[in-house]
Amino acid sequence: MSFGNFARKVRDPALPHRRRISALRSCVQLYRPIGFEATLSFLHAEAGPFRTDEAALLRALAMLEDSRSAWQEAKRAYAAARREAKRRGQRSPHPCDVNPYTPTHWYGAHREAALHAVLFWHRRRLPSLLTDDDKPAHDLRACVQTCLETDGHPPPGQRRLLAGCIDQLDARLQPALHHDDPVEYFRTRDLLTVARHLQVATTSPLLGSL
């Protein structure tokens, strides 16, 4: 079923509230820019207790739809830019071009949502991802703590530390790792997810909204 069909179920007052919540969760399955659970948590934080309150449920859906619409507009703009680039002879995207087809942030509230995602991971998952001998993971935890303490405005040294963490984790996340040690592969992937949210949360709004 499409996003629009699920959204109509969320809005249908004739349906039991629990079914409307289930429909919202299905919407989030189809558009979860900061991950499924973190997206639901952000909607709850911003729209209110949608699991028990109808007005909050409708606000949550409107937030999700607005972000998804902005994402779709970014995809359309990217597609038009690529068509024009191909017309000029540039067959492949430039390495610095940002491809929006897989959303990496919340369109319309990129820093706020990313900061919420960082807090969500910090509370729920990050401690379980740490091992004694993994320096990049512990450096990442230090960056997370500084980000939360400064409300997303860490000093330049922390930004450099985060960039180093991302480089090291990226280098580690190779297909061979999935074959040789799948547990380590998924742990590294989750650490990178936290690092990417942190990168968005500490980026200037003018740059991060592109």
Side-chain angles (χ1 to χ4, degrees):
M1 192 177 293
S2 70
F3 184 96
N5 284 331
F6 285 123
R8 282 190 286 275
K9 289 180 180 294
V10 177
R11 288 195 172 90
D12 188 351
L15 292 176
H17 193 76
R18 60 180 176 77
R19 286 190 59 190
R20 296 169 71 184
I21 296 170
S22 177
L24 178 67
R25 291 172 64 89
S26 295
C27 288
V28 174
Q29 284 282 8
L30 295 173
Y31 178 68
R32 48 185 190 277
I34 58 173
F36 180 75
E37 294 294 343
T39 294
L40 287 172
S41 177
F42 184 59
L43 290 173
H44 183 275
E46 295 295 312
F50 60 80
R51 292 176 180 85
T52 57
D53 182 81
E54 180 179 12
L57 178 65
L58 296 177
R59 286 194 298 269
L61 176 61
M63 280 182 58
L64 193 67
E65 287 180 318
D66 287 347
S67 179
R68 182 173 178 270
S69 293
W71 171 55
Q72 291 178 322
E73 179 57 36
K75 289 196 297 180
R76 286 191 290 268
Y78 178 80
R82 285 297 305 133
R83 286 194 296 271
E84 176 60 22
K86 288 179 180 179
R87 188 186 64 79
R88 298 194 308 267
Q90 182 186 337
R91 305 304 300 174
S92 300
H94 191 276
C96 294
D97 289 347
V98 178
N99 186 333
Y101 277 86
T102 299
T104 58
H105 63 269
W106 189 287
Y107 284 78
H110 81 283
R111 284 192 72 253
E112 296 89 339
L115 192 58
H116 184 92
V118 170
L119 179 60
F120 180 87
W121 277 86
H122 175 68
R123 289 175 172 172
R124 300 286 188 90
R125 291 288 312 283
L126 187 56
S128 68
L129 300 176
L130 302 175
T131 59
D132 291 340
D133 58 348
D134 191 350
K135 186 177 185 301
H138 287 275
D139 287 344
L140 178 60
R141 180 178 64 174
C143 291
V144 166
Q145 290 173 336
T146 301
C147 173
L148 296 176
E149 290 167 359
T150 61
D151 195 29
H153 298 90
Q158 287 286 314
R159 297 175 192 271
R160 290 191 292 271
L161 183 61
L162 174 60
C165 290
I166 291 174
D167 288 343
Q168 293 176 73
L169 293 170
D170 263 332
R172 185 190 304 172
L173 196 69
Q174 300 297 324
L177 181 62
H178 185 275
H179 178 269
D180 297 337
D181 190 345
V183 173
E184 179 62 17
Y185 177 90
F186 288 113
R187 188 181 75 88
T188 300
R189 187 194 64 177
D190 285 349
L191 287 169
L192 261 175
T193 296
V194 178
R196 297 298 186 191
H197 286 316
L198 188 57
Q199 192 174 46
V200 175
T202 57
T203 298
S204 161
L206 291 178
L207 296 176
S209 60
L210 298 177

